[in-house]
């Protein structure tokens, strides 16, 4: 009812308006004057129709934005999945060539591109294709393993020169053997990025299109991640190869060191070969170092070979169950002192050092002497005991077990003395011996009265039954106390 009433009122008003009067008011500037149509438009309805239109436009815009975001998400997801598949191969330690092939296939599928490949720059100015993904016909025209000179203003030249991504939008007028190969496989445009290994351009990752004109603007970004994974695979492969070589070399090196320590027969030429492989000079002097191993597998002298090499001292080392053994080249007394000082600083474990020797074939004997030095006392300020090479010392350690048994009987007379008193008497004898039999000289070294030295020496004579005035008895006492000092 009300709707109909409103309509009747509108029609009634319309019929009573004078058109001429309305026109005059409009001419007089009355902006409210308007010519009315016979049909009235509902303003509320109009507002509703406009709002609905605007709403539909907004929904349409939102749909377009959502579609774009979804497409971007799908692209990123595909990229991450492809990179993850390649990264998994790298993490598993797969051979680099297998990784290269996977990179080419994934790059071609993800970009997408008709062709994709990896190339390695050689040192002779050529480039080698190490992986490719394309149709079989294209692969036969530019097979993996082909080396091509890097000439002309090609993609390879641009990338190698700048170390940055590059693109060629048309190969029609590009000269050089690489451009000829590109045209042979039907590629019209290409994009490439560098593969950087250790700060240098190792190679090139590239994709190609059979269509004329430039490839998409984001192509460089899309293939950069694959180039980085390729670089990682190259480094991992290089390190694996280094590790294999080092293990093989290490095994061979250990065998050669063992051959010297065990005294296997060598002629002059084979000895030179062994020395060369161990990076040792053929001529001495050498010493053998033996460091006690507290626990099986531990290295008391860690990184000792590299430390010595930094001091321009060549050596070869071997870890045995009970000792770490080294053959060290010492060119002078000064170098020898440097070696001993380094050994003292490096470990608190017991270390024995042989006398110097000139022929590597004497290594077993030197090892024996170094091992013997592990049994005797060391200087109070150092854990390193050095064999002096004297006749007396050599005689003492020549047959350790036999000498210990023989000397034991001669020194039995000291068995009832406390350890410190016994050692005091032995030390007095050694000092007297080192001062060439001078009582006064020994007293000065020992900071005691000469009569104290005489009294101690008489006690030694009484307990051993030997006289220091008889050369034979003196020689036996000197040898007995040397054996005691080094072996007991």
């Amino acid at each position: 009812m009300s709707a109909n009433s409103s309509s009747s009122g509108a029609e009634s008003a319309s019929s009573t308006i004078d058109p001429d009067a309305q026109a005059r008011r409009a001419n007089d500037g009355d902006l409210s004057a308007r010519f009315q149509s016979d049909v009235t438009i509902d303003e509320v309805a109009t507002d509703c129709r406009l709002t609905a239109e605007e709403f539909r436009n907004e929904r349409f815009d939102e749909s377009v934005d959502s579609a774009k975001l979804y497409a971007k998400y799908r692209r990123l997801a595909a990229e991450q999945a492809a990179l993850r598949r390649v990264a998994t191969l790298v993490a598993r330690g797969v051979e680099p060539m297998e990784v290269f092939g996977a990179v080419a296939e994934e790059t071609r599928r993800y970009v997408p591109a008709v062709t994709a490949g990896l190339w390695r720059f050689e040192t002779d100015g050529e480039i080698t294709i190490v992986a490719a993904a394309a149709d079989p016909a294209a692969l036969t025209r530019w097979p993996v393993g082909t080396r091509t000179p890097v000439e002309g203003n090609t993609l390879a030249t641009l990338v190698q020169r700048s170390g940055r991504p590059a693109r060629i939008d048309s190969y029609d007028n590009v000269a050089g053997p690489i451009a000829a190969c590109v045209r042979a496989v039907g590629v019209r445009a290409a994009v490439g990025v560098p593969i950087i290994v250790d700060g240098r351009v190792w190679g090139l990752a590239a994709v190609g299109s059979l269509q004329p004109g430039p490839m998409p603007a984001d192509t460089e970004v899309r293939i950069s991640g694959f180039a980085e994974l390729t670089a990682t695979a190259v480094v991992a492969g290089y390190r694996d190869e280094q590790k294999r070589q080092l293990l093989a070399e290490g095994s061979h090196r250990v065998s050669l060191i063992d051959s010297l320590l065990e005294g296997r027969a060598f002629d002059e030429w084979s000895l030179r070969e062994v020395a060369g492989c161990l990076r040792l000079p053929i001529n001495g002097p050498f010493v053998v170092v033996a460091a006690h191993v507290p626990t099986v597998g531990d290295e008391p002298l860690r990184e000792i070979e590299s430390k010595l090499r930094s001091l321009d001292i060549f050596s070869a080392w071997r870890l045995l169950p009970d000792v770490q053994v080294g053959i060290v080249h010492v060119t002078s007394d000064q170098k020898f002192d440097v070696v001993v000082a380094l050994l003292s600083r490096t470990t608190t474990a017991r270390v024995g050092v042989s006398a110097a020797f000139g022929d590597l074939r004497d290594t077993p004997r030197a090892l024996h002497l170094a091992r013997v030095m592990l049994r005797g006392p060391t200087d109070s300020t150092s854990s390193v005991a050095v064999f002096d090479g004297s006749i007396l010392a050599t005689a003492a350690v020549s047959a350790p077990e036999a000498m210990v048994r023989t000397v034991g009987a001669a020194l039995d007379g000291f068995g009832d003395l406390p350890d410190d008193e016994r050692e005091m008497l032995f030390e007095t004898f050694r000092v007297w011996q080192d001062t060439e039999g001078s009582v006064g000289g020994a007293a000065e070294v020992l900071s005691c009265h000469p009569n104290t030295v005489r009294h101690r020496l008489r006690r030694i004579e009484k307990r051993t039954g030997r006289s220091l005035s008889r050369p034979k008895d003196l020689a036996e006492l000197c040898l007995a106390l040397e054996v005691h000092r080094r072996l007991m």
Side-chain angles (χ1 to χ4, degrees):
M1 292 292 291
S2 59
N4 292 335
S5 300
S6 298
S7 176
S8 301
E11 290 177 0
S12 174
S14 174
S15 61
T16 59
I17 294 175
D18 182 358
D20 293 333
Q22 189 177 27
R24 283 193 300 270
R25 286 197 306 274
N27 290 332
D28 292 337
D30 186 356
L31 297 179
S32 63
R34 294 292 185 267
F35 288 101
Q36 301 283 333
S37 65
D38 292 338
V39 180
T40 303
I41 300 175
D42 190 338
E43 292 183 359
V44 176
T46 301
D47 288 344
C48 291
R49 279 200 304 275
L50 290 174
T51 303
E53 185 69 24
E54 291 172 358
F55 178 73
R56 281 195 295 273
N57 288 339
E58 285 183 13
R59 292 296 300 270
F60 178 76
D61 291 341
E62 289 178 3
S63 298
V64 171
D65 290 341
S66 297
K68 290 179 179 179
L69 287 173
Y70 182 67
K72 184 177 181 180
Y73 163 76
R74 289 292 301 273
R75 186 168 64 249
L76 289 174
E79 177 187 14
Q80 293 302 313
L83 291 172
R84 190 160 48 246
R85 286 191 291 269
V86 176
T88 300
L89 295 178
V90 176
R92 282 168 44 198
V94 172
E95 290 295 325
M97 293 306 295
E98 184 176 344
V99 176
F100 296 164
V103 168
E105 288 290 348
E106 295 286 1
T107 304
R108 181 194 184 197
R109 182 164 48 244
Y110 165 66
V111 169
V114 176
T115 63
L118 302 176
W119 286 261
R120 179 182 64 236
F121 290 110
E122 308 294 351
T123 57
D124 59 358
E126 293 187 329
I127 193 168
T128 301
I129 181 169
V130 296
D135 63 76
L139 293 177
T140 58
R141 297 189 187 99
W142 199 354
V144 171
T146 303
R147 292 171 68 110
T148 310
V150 181
E151 298 174 0
N153 197 31
T154 62
L155 198 63
T157 307
L158 297 173
V159 170
Q160 186 179 37
R161 185 186 303 145
S162 67
R164 300 174 61 84
R167 58 171 53 222
I168 291 181
D169 296 335
S170 174
Y171 273 92
D172 292 344
N173 300 315
V174 180
I178 293 180
C181 292
V182 171
R183 285 191 291 269
V185 299
V187 169
R188 307 285 295 277
V191 172
V193 299
I195 299 171
I196 307 295
V197 176
D198 291 335
R200 67 179 185 87
V201 181
W202 177 89
L204 165 74
V207 293
S209 170
L210 303 184
Q211 303 300 321
M215 297 188 71
D218 62 347
T219 304
E220 290 89 342
V221 175
R222 289 194 175 197
I223 62 179
S224 292
F226 295 100
E228 292 175 5
L229 281 175
T230 302
T232 303
V234 170
V235 173
Y238 174 72
R239 288 176 179 166
D240 288 344
E241 181 61 25
Q242 269 195 326
K243 188 183 298 182
R244 284 191 290 268
Q245 291 179 0
L246 287 174
L247 288 175
E249 180 183 345
S251 177
H252 182 54
R253 186 176 173 83
V254 165
S255 177
L256 293 178
I257 295 174
D258 284 345
S259 67
L260 289 176
L261 297 177
E262 295 166 7
R264 300 174 195 170
F266 289 108
D267 57 30
E268 187 67 24
W269 287 107
S270 60
L271 188 64
R272 288 182 178 276
E273 183 179 353
V274 169
C277 290
L278 295 178
R279 302 183 185 90
L280 289 174
I282 186 63
N283 298 314
F286 303 95
V287 295
V288 169
V289 176
H292 174 65
V293 174
T295 306
V296 176
D298 287 346
E299 288 188 45
L301 300 171
R302 292 184 180 277
E303 300 180 356
I304 186 64
E305 186 168 347
S306 61
K307 292 177 181 177
L308 287 171
R309 187 68 191 89
S310 69
L311 300 172
D312 199 28
I313 298 172
F314 294 91
S315 62
W317 293 81
R318 170 81 161 98
L319 183 63
L320 300 175
D322 59 334
V323 289
Q324 183 181 2
V325 181
I327 305 169
V328 184
H329 184 253
V330 287
T331 56
S332 64
D333 291 342
Q334 290 76 14
K335 287 288 188 183
F336 179 77
D337 292 340
V338 169
V339 171
V340 173
L342 178 61
L343 296 174
S344 300
R345 293 195 305 270
T346 303
T347 183
T348 57
R350 189 67 175 271
V351 181
V353 183
S354 74
F357 61 99
D359 193 328
L360 282 172
R361 284 169 286 205
D362 293 331
T363 301
R365 171 69 179 168
L367 174 60
H368 166 73
L369 296 177
R371 281 183 173 276
V372 166
M373 296 311 297
L374 292 176
R375 300 173 59 173
T378 62
D379 187 288
S380 59
T381 61
S382 172
S383 62
V384 181
V386 180
F387 187 79
D388 58 20
S390 67
I391 294 175
L392 192 61
T394 303
V397 301
S398 58
E401 289 74 14
M403 294 302 296
V404 168
R405 286 195 303 270
T406 303
V407 167
L411 301 180
D412 281 346
F414 298 94
D416 62 329
L417 294 178
D419 290 345
D420 56 348
E421 186 175 352
R422 182 174 60 251
E423 290 304 319
M424 177 195 67
L425 293 177
F426 291 168
E427 178 66 14
T428 299
F429 182 88
R430 282 192 291 268
V431 172
W432 174 75
Q433 179 184 352
D434 292 341
T435 56
E436 300 181 354
S438 170
V439 172
E444 185 176 352
V445 173
L446 295 170
S447 300
C448 64
H449 196 276
N451 287 339
T452 302
V453 175
R454 293 187 184 95
H455 175 67
R456 293 174 183 175
L457 293 177
R458 282 196 294 270
R459 291 180 65 188
I460 292 173
E461 288 180 315
K462 181 179 180 180
R463 287 182 175 272
T464 60
R466 289 167 172 81
S467 173
L468 298 182
S469 60
R470 289 196 296 267
K472 181 175 179 295
D473 289 355
L474 179 59
E476 288 182 354
L477 278 175
C478 288
L479 181 59
L481 293 178
E482 187 71 18
V483 171
H484 179 272
R485 182 167 75 93
R486 297 188 180 277
L487 301 178
M488 299 174 68

